Amino acid sequence: DGSKNKKKLGANTILSVSLAVAKAASNFECKELYKYIGGCNTNFLPVPLVNIINGGAHASNNLDIQEYMISPIGAKTFSESIRWCSEIFFKLKDLLKNNGFSTSVGDEGGFASNFLNNFEPLEYLLKAIKGCGFNPEKDVLISLDVASSEFYLNKKYLLKSEKQKLSSDQMIDYLKQIVSKYPIFSIEDGCSEDDWKAWSKLNKKIGDKVLLVGDDLFVTNKVRLLKGINEQSANSILIKPNQIGSLSETLDTINTAKLNKIETIISHRSGETEDNFIADLAVATNAGQIKTGSVSRSDRNSKYNQLFRIEEELGNNAVYYGNEILKKTNRG
């Protein structure tokens, strides 16, 4: 291609060839894909960040926050973690239906109901978690994708559902309030992708309590990641191969993150197919976490199904990351 941003051939074209070559090579060597990519020390199954409620650009509702997810860190196995999430998903569906909410789903399979504000979904999530007999402080925590770049305009954060226009410092306080009130495990894109100073402030204030995940901030780009490390902008990075354009560059970014003690979360994209490459990638890189949508819609479940198959193949050697991930924050 030869260009800086793959504009001649296109990142999607290059990526599809890159992934196809990796699959062909693993078949040629008669190895499972995750073992071909990662080698022999690939037996950790990731904690899934399961989408339960959709908002923002992923749903036609009034929520500013794009994703409300659950993180089943207390499960003993990966398969048990998905069972827990399925139980909570359908418990929430009953709660919403019984209270007059719509139970249609958004782009990533979570419920796309209208709520009073950005806090009300958190209350319903707590009810669903407790209603299934789980402890929201120890068994199943809550993760958020704020996707704040979507509502950042003229250096202000416009929260339409609450009719607020917040400065960067006010947005940080808003997120701090959520963390102090609810059992939050991680916050993705809490500040806009261009609001670098705010990211550093946010990390300083609550980075020791939750995982602060850069998606729009880092776009799986090693150069942006190194800037974030230098400025102490976040403690986690979302990894999307489509953002950078090849498997080799993806692995390079992951290795850079790990060398600098930045947590990695392997992720799908909003517009998905049933390709399950990222399931193998999560195990291959011992990422610890995977984000691939809800427990509804086949394009999301295909990744979970592949992880089930990997867990089954590993047998007694399979280790679910579980609450080990809590050691990365003060919750551990």
Side-chain angles (χ1 to χ4, degrees):
D1 180 274
S3 66
K4 191 174 182 179
N5 61 355
K6 303 179 178 66
K7 65 181 180 180
K8 292 180 181 178
L9 296 175
N12 286 337
T13 301
I14 294 172
L15 178 66
S16 62
V17 174
S18 179
L19 301 190
V21 169
K23 288 182 179 181
S26 69
N27 288 336
F28 180 77
E29 295 195 8
C30 299
K31 292 180 179 179
E32 294 296 329
L33 183 59
Y34 68 93
K35 288 184 179 178
Y36 170 76
I37 296 172
C40 57
N41 296 317
T42 49
N43 62 322
F44 281 90
L45 277 295
V47 173
L49 306 185
V50 177
N51 189 310
I52 299 294
I53 295 174
N54 282 184
H58 289 176
S60 299
N61 60 8
N62 65 332
L63 293 175
D64 300 295
I65 293 176
Q66 189 161 273
E67 295 180 62
Y68 294 79
M69 299 168 281
I70 51 177
S71 308
I73 51 95
K76 300 301 181 185
T77 64
F78 178 80
S79 51
E80 183 178 56
S81 77
I82 296 299
R83 179 172 63 81
W84 285 13
C85 292
S86 298
E87 291 172 1
I88 294 167
F89 181 86
F90 286 104
K91 171 62 73 174
L92 178 61
K93 183 176 183 179
D94 289 339
L95 287 171
L96 293 175
K97 187 176 181 180
N98 293 339
N99 284 275
F101 289 92
S102 165
T103 54
S104 60
V105 298
D107 291 352
E108 297 186 357
F111 297 113
S113 317
N114 278 310
F115 292 91
L116 290 175
N117 51 44
N118 294 316
F119 288 85
E120 192 176 27
L122 294 166
E123 297 292 342
Y124 272 91
L125 276 182
L126 288 179
K127 290 178 184 178
I129 293 168
K130 292 176 181 177
C132 290
F134 302 120
N135 185 329
E137 291 283 349
K138 296 180 179 180
D139 298 325
V140 183
L141 303 181
I142 297 172
S143 290
L144 300 174
D145 177 6
V146 181
S148 60
S149 295
E150 298 287 343
F151 53 83
Y152 185 66
L153 185 64
N154 297 325
K155 297 186 178 181
K156 295 289 184 180
Y157 294 89
L158 308 179
L159 299 178
K160 292 181 180 179
S161 69
E162 298 172 20
K163 298 179 180 178
Q164 294 190 71
K165 184 184 291 187
L166 306 180
S167 66
S168 294
D169 287 341
Q170 289 172 324
M171 185 65 189
I172 292 169
D173 289 338
Y174 182 85
L175 296 174
K176 188 178 178 182
Q177 180 186 359
I178 292 176
V179 171
S180 66
K181 190 175 181 181
Y182 298 97
I184 303 298
F185 173 59
S186 64
I187 296 177
E188 180 184 331
D189 285 345
C191 299
S192 173
E193 62 195 76
D194 297 317
D195 201 359
W196 286 93
K197 290 183 179 179
W199 271 98
S200 298
K201 288 182 181 179
L202 180 66
N203 194 23
K204 189 174 182 179
K205 285 200 172 185
I206 62 173
D208 62 335
K209 300 178 179 65
V210 298
L211 296 180
L212 296 175
V213 187
D215 175 19
D216 294 339
L217 179 69
F218 295 137
V219 289
T220 318
N221 187 299
K222 182 178 176 180
V223 174
R224 288 185 69 93
L225 174 60
L226 288 171
K227 179 179 178 179
I229 292 168
N230 184 55
E231 297 187 12
Q232 297 184 322
S233 301
N235 53 28
S236 308
I237 181 174
L238 205 71
I239 298 293
K240 294 179 180 175
N242 68 285
Q243 287 179 329
I244 193 63
S246 71
L247 177 58
S248 298
E249 290 167 294
T250 300
L251 294 174
D252 192 22
T253 301
I254 290 172
N255 290 334
T256 299
K258 287 179 176 290
L259 285 172
N260 289 277
K261 298 183 179 179
I262 302 292
E263 293 303 303
T264 54
I265 303 165
I266 306 301
S267 176
H268 62 168
R269 57 195 297 182
S270 301
E272 262 295 336
T273 70
E274 291 192 9
D275 180 79
N276 54 33
F277 190 97
I278 62 169
D280 285 82
L281 182 62
V283 179
T285 58
N286 287 324
Q289 299 168 71
I290 189 169
K291 179 185 174 187
T292 183
S294 189
V295 285
S296 66
R297 300 181 61 129
S298 61
D299 48 325
R300 313 297 157 177
N301 282 323
S302 66
K303 284 74 168 174
Y304 298 133
N305 290 336
Q306 176 64 1
L307 287 165
F308 289 150
R309 289 188 283 268
I310 292 173
E311 183 179 54
E312 184 177 8
E313 191 211 6
L314 287 170
N316 292 332
N317 291 324
V319 179
Y320 176 60
Y321 225 98
N323 54 24
E324 281 292 310
I325 206 75
L326 287 183
K327 294 179 180 178
K328 311 299 182 183
T329 71
N330 278 347
R331 288 184 179 277

